[in-house]
């Protein structure tokens, strides 16, 4: 496993420092002055000067790297650029070169061929890539589940049908964009039991409630279902939540949508049950960890 940040540290920075040290020396600075400007030791400058530091030719030959090194060397010598400004400019270039398909992204994909499994259009370095977005959702969900597993007394809130903590991607459209626990969360002999790691597309019921609420304007990306009790509703309301009732006897999505339209600020939805329908409370929130913290506060 190798992160792109390791390539930045192990290859990009030594190469840029070496180029910049050489450019500053060419402009008449002493090794001591170069060390002061770059914030490194004189011995490090000496190693750069004598080629004792391994550099990456692909980075050194990149036109943008060459242009920036020239600009920074001129500016540092003339006093037009401070070391802090130079640092910022290098940071900006690093982010640009990490962008999908660019130099650092290419070096990373060369170092980790397995990334090719995600297709030629995939770029792990794009902060908005589908994989990064999905992994952020799953990471938040795992954090929320840990909170619930470690919360003494959560089992008392698990309904007979089981609970599920779900979270969705920002542009979620259907249940495949919602991650949850396969098989739901159950009380097994007084122990909160999460049977498997969270996955996308495994929750239908709680995912449907979350998606319906979102489609009708709810600002939520996660939800959980717990057992219904009037005192729980009261405590949630006391905690600042807005509650809204919906009828689960018909189409769930339509009923949830109607409840949100009647109470746009609702963050807690509930239904009191009926023939063959267990009464439930659904708590909505911005992410899975926040929802889990809300539930832990009820215990």
């Amino acid at each position: 496993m190798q992160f792109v940040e390791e390539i930045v540290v192990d290859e990009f920075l030594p190469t840029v420092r070496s180029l910049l040290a050489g450019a500053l020396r060419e402009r008449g600075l002493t090794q001591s002055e170069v060390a002061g400007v770059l914030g490194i030791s004189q011995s490090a400058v000496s190693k750069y000067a004598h080629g004792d530091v391994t550099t990456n030719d692909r980075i050194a030959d990149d036109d943008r790297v060459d242009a920036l090194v020239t600009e920074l060397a001129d500016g540092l010598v003339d006093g037009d650029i401070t070391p802090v400004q130079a640092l910022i400019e290098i940071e900006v270039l690093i982010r640009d070169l990490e962008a999908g398909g660019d130099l650092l992204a290419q070096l990373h994909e060369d170092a980790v061929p397995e990334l090719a499994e995600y297709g030629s259009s995939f770029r792990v370095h794009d902060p908005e890539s589908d994989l990064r977005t999905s992994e952020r959702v799953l990471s938040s969900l795992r954090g929320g589940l840990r909170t619930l597993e470690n919360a003494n007394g959560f089992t008392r809130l698990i309904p007979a049908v089981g609970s599920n903590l779900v979270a969705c991607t920002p542009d979620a459209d259907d249940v495949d964009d919602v991650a949850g626990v396969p098989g739901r969360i159950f009380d097994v002999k007084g122990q909160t039991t999460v049977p498997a790691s969270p996955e996308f597309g495994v929750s239908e019921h709680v995912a449907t409630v979350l998606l319906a609420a979102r489609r009708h304007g709810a600002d939520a990306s996660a939800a959980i279902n717990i057992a219904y009790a009037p005192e729980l509703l009261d405590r949630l309301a006391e905690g600042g939540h807005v509650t809204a009732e919906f009828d689960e006897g018909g189409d769930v999505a339509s009923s949830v949508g109607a409840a949100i339209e009647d109470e746009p600020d609702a963050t807690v939805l509930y239904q009191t049950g009926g023939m063959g329908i267990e009464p439930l409370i659904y708590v909505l929130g911005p992410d899975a960890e926040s929802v889990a913290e809300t539930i832990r506060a009820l215990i």
Side-chain angles (χ1 to χ4, degrees):
M1 179 185 295
Q2 185 176 29
F3 296 96
V4 69
E5 289 79 7
E6 294 177 79
I7 293 173
V8 171
V9 171
D10 296 339
E11 300 187 43
F12 181 84
L13 292 180
T15 300
V16 170
R17 283 196 182 114
S18 178
L19 293 172
L20 193 50
L24 291 171
R25 290 285 283 144
E26 290 172 0
R27 286 159 175 76
L29 271 63
T30 65
Q31 284 193 5
S32 176
E33 290 171 332
V34 171
V37 169
L38 298 183
I40 57 178
S41 66
Q42 288 191 53
S43 61
V45 176
S46 178
K47 289 180 180 179
Y48 287 132
H50 291 89
D52 295 334
V53 176
T54 302
T55 59
N56 185 298
D57 290 339
R58 287 173 66 181
I59 294 172
D61 293 339
D62 187 271
D63 291 340
R64 290 158 297 180
V65 173
D66 180 65
L68 182 61
V69 167
T70 299
E71 177 187 343
L72 295 182
D74 289 339
L76 289 167
V77 169
D78 296 338
D80 296 330
I81 295 177
T82 67
V84 171
Q85 289 172 326
L87 174 64
I88 293 172
E89 291 298 324
I90 293 172
E91 285 276 6
V92 170
L93 179 60
I94 289 172
R95 302 307 160 222
D96 288 343
L97 296 180
E98 284 181 354
D102 221 319
L103 177 63
L104 290 175
Q106 293 168 7
L107 291 172
H108 190 205
E109 290 170 12
D110 289 346
V112 187
E114 295 84 355
L115 291 175
E117 296 176 6
Y118 293 97
S120 60
S121 62
F122 164 70
R123 290 293 179 265
V124 69
H125 317 91
D126 177 2
E128 302 306 322
S129 71
D130 290 343
L131 184 61
R132 275 199 170 188
T133 298
S134 298
E135 285 303 317
R136 282 195 293 268
V137 171
L138 291 172
S139 176
S140 175
L141 197 48
R142 286 190 290 267
L145 290 169
R146 284 193 297 270
T147 296
L148 296 177
E149 286 179 295
N150 295 326
N152 292 327
F154 172 63
T155 53
R156 296 194 298 270
L157 303 183
I158 298 176
V161 295
S163 287
N164 211 334
L165 177 64
V166 305
C168 67
T169 57
D171 57 351
D173 184 58
D174 57 36
V175 294
D176 289 333
D177 300 319
V178 182
V181 178
R184 301 189 182 183
I185 307 165
F186 286 99
D187 172 7
V188 178
K189 297 182 178 180
Q191 181 69 41
T192 299
T193 301
V194 179
S197 297
E199 299 175 16
F200 280 90
V202 297
S203 169
E204 183 170 350
H205 186 76
V206 184
T208 297
V209 171
L210 175 60
L211 290 170
R214 285 169 54 85
R215 289 189 186 112
H216 289 81
D219 184 17
S221 295
I224 190 172
N225 66 315
I226 59 174
Y228 171 84
E231 57 270 25
L232 291 178
L233 285 178
D234 291 341
R235 291 182 60 189
L236 287 164
E238 290 169 1
H241 289 274
V242 176
T243 66
E245 183 177 3
F246 72 96
D247 179 12
E248 199 169 356
D251 179 70
V252 173
S254 298
S255 297
V256 168
I260 293 294
E261 289 179 358
D262 288 342
E263 189 55 78
D265 295 327
T267 51
V268 172
L269 303 171
Y270 68 97
Q271 48 86 19
T272 56
M275 184 68 67
I277 299 175
E278 184 178 11
L280 296 170
I281 294 172
Y282 300 83
V283 178
L284 311 180
D287 54 63
E289 290 165 307
S290 299
V291 170
E293 288 294 339
T294 297
I295 298 303
R296 182 163 67 173
L298 292 175
I299 300 171

